[in-house]
Amino acid sequence: MVYLAVFFVLFLAFGMPVAFAVGISSVFYFIAEGVPFQIVVQRMVSSTQSFSLLAVPFFVLAGNLMNETGITKRLIRFSTVITGHMYGGLAQVSVVLSALMGGISGSATADAAMEARILGPDMEKKGYSKGFTAAILAMGGLIVSTIPPSIGLILYGVTGEVSIGRLFLAGIVPGALMTIGLMISVALISKKRGYMRETEKPATFKEVLKGLWENIWAIIFPVILIVGIRFGIFTPSEAGAFAVVYALIIGILVYRELTLSKLMEVLRQTAVDLAVIMIIIICSNAFGYALVTGQVPQTLARGILMVTSNQYLVLLIVMSFVFVIGMFMEATANVLILTPIFLPIVTRLGFDPVHFGILFMILVTMGGMTPPIGVTMYSTFSILGCPINVYTKEAIPFIITIVLLLVVFAVFPDIILFLPNMVYGT
């Protein structure tokens, strides 16, 4: 395993993209161990042959389609109606928009980049500091990665053989609580700094109903998916195909904003997105196979259990490790590599795999929003032109908010599990 670790760290240190660092270091390991190269290739190709993985390209395409149908700008208007009267009006809009976009994009980085381009310039014009703007736009992506349909939860479910339907339901309450937590943090900071409201008075009931009606097609989308999966109308993969058809109907027949040129751009962007995801999946599978053949999961489990057998201390060690790794590697690769290592450890200690999956997904995603190499962080502050030290300082209150919520989620698992248990049974 020394070859694997050394080459992997070296490649990352030299700035090689994480997918290639994972794949090439795995190849060197297999060569050093004398494993036939045909087996390596077979393992890499076999990772793409899962029927459940069809959900990923479908949901990516559906998310890109919905972003071009006019849904995003309507959601911004609706978010402004709901939160415009609060301190830090535009920042509040960004948090609520992330919650609403969770049912559409499923990608934290995509959501943060989109909001940085759309809301970032307006927030700066209204006096918000660059660091505060970059921090809240990036941290809002945590909500997107938790509220269904989350691409990360799909990959976790496929890799760990955990019910995707249960994971989707389990993400709703934590996503809502993170939305509330971040909104409270924004309000406290904004009141102290004098970041003003967007509107003088709260919206009337009639204005809220009008906003709901304008966005009904986006709001009911995740509800349709969850109900369809629960009652066996379609599998998660078929739900992805349904999502594509749904997005096309909304874009062409309802809002009539999806033109041929926009459709071609959506297909181009989706091809790029999927190429990135699939190369990570393929290379991560080879890396995972190397870890298994080197008995890393078993060795790591024994090492952790030698330190303590207390289930919550073990969970703390695992979650701390996941968070630190998330600072250096992209979330998709982390989900695919770390799930087979840590899921058996925590389930052996009595933790529900759905409960662990939500905690795991939040921390893996948050790693991408922290220095030194957080992908979501870089996407946001590079668009806004914000120095990393300024971003880091402004992100601390939001990180503390999320960590406190994670402690609550860990100690009280029913917060996460009561919805899936109510719908699917215990």
Side-chain angles (χ1 to χ4, degrees), residues 130-131 134 377 381-382 384-394:
K130 278 191 177 182
M377 174 190 72
F381 72 58
S382 62
L384 297 171
C386 173
I388 186 171
N389 60 315
V390 176
Y391 167 92
T392 303
K393 181 180 177 181
E394 295 279 17

Side-chain angles (χ1 to χ4, degrees), residues 33-361:
E33 293 295 316
V35 177
F37 201 69
Q38 297 92 321
I39 295 178
V40 181
V41 174
Q42 287 171 3
R43 294 290 304 189
M44 296 174 80
V45 173
S46 67
S47 65
T48 66
Q49 305 305 302
S50 168
F51 179 75
S52 297
L53 272 182
L54 281 174
V56 174
F58 283 135
F59 277 119
V60 171
L61 175 56
N64 287 337
L65 281 169
M66 287 192 170
N67 284 337
E68 292 294 339
T69 60
I71 284 180
T72 300
K73 65 183 181 184
R74 287 175 172 82
L75 289 177
I76 291 174
R77 286 202 301 266
F78 181 48
S79 301
T80 305
V81 168
I82 297 173
T83 64
H85 64 284
M86 300 178 183
Y87 282 104
L90 269 181
Q92 302 284 13
V93 168
S94 76
V95 176
V96 173
L97 181 61
S98 293
L100 296 173
M101 288 297 292
I104 297 174
S105 72
S107 167
T109 303
D111 173 76
M114 178 273 294
E115 291 193 26
R117 290 189 182 95
I118 296 175
L119 294 176
D122 286 341
M123 289 179 70
E124 287 188 47
K125 287 177 186 175
K126 302 224 171 180
Y128 295 83
S129 71
K130 278 191 177 182
F132 177 83
T133 301
I136 191 57
L137 294 181
M139 294 300 293
L142 284 170
I143 306 167
V144 177
S145 68
T146 310
I147 291 178
S150 162
I151 302 299
L153 288 179
I154 294 172
L155 293 175
Y156 172 82
V158 172
T159 307
E161 298 182 353
V162 182
S163 166
I164 295 173
R166 291 182 73 94
L167 286 168
F168 278 3
L169 278 169
I172 294 173
V173 174
L177 291 177
M178 284 192 292
T179 302
I180 295 169
L182 289 176
M183 289 177 73
I184 292 171
S185 298
V186 166
L188 294 174
I189 295 170
S190 298
K191 186 175 181 179
K192 183 178 180 181
R193 297 185 182 180
Y195 295 152
M196 300 308 295
R197 304 173 172 93
E198 287 298 296
T199 57
E200 290 297 322
K201 297 184 295 184
T204 64
F205 183 67
K206 184 178 179 181
E207 289 172 331
V208 174
L209 281 181
K210 182 182 177 184
L212 277 171
W213 179 250
E214 287 181 352
N215 293 279
I216 191 67
W217 301 109
I219 293 169
I220 67 171
F221 174 58
V223 177
I224 294 173
L225 294 181
I226 291 170
V227 171
I229 293 171
R230 169 61 186 91
F231 290 101
I233 299 171
F234 35 61
T235 65
S237 299
E238 292 165 347
F242 165 81
V244 173
V245 175
Y246 183 90
L248 285 170
I249 291 172
I250 298 303
I252 296 172
L253 300 180
V254 180
Y255 293 147
R256 300 182 181 181
E257 294 189 23
L258 187 62
T259 62
L260 182 60
S261 61
K262 286 184 177 180
L263 179 59
M264 296 307 296
E265 175 59 24
V266 163
L267 293 174
R268 186 199 66 80
Q269 185 58 51
T270 301
V272 173
D273 293 343
L274 291 178
V276 173
I277 292 172
M278 291 311 295
I279 193 68
I280 292 174
I281 290 174
I282 289 169
C283 293
S284 297
N285 189 266
F287 194 83
Y289 181 58
L291 293 175
V292 170
T293 56
Q295 294 194 321
V296 171
Q298 297 90 327
T299 304
L300 195 58
R302 285 196 297 270
I304 292 174
L305 293 174
M306 283 176 64
V307 175
T308 178
S309 58
N310 182 286
Q311 63 175 162
Y312 286 103
L313 284 178
V314 171
L315 183 64
L316 177 62
I317 293 170
V318 169
M319 291 290 93
S320 301
F321 185 85
V322 167
F323 177 64
V324 172
I325 292 296
M327 295 179 183
F328 298 91
M329 285 176 57
E330 202 272 333
T332 303
N334 280 330
V335 171
L336 295 165
I337 292 171
L338 300 180
T339 299
I341 296 175
F342 291 124
L343 184 57
I345 297 174
V346 296
T347 52
R348 176 180 168 185
L349 291 171
F351 288 102
D352 188 288
V354 173
H355 177 217
F356 174 71
I358 300 301
L359 300 176
F360 177 75
M361 199 63 237

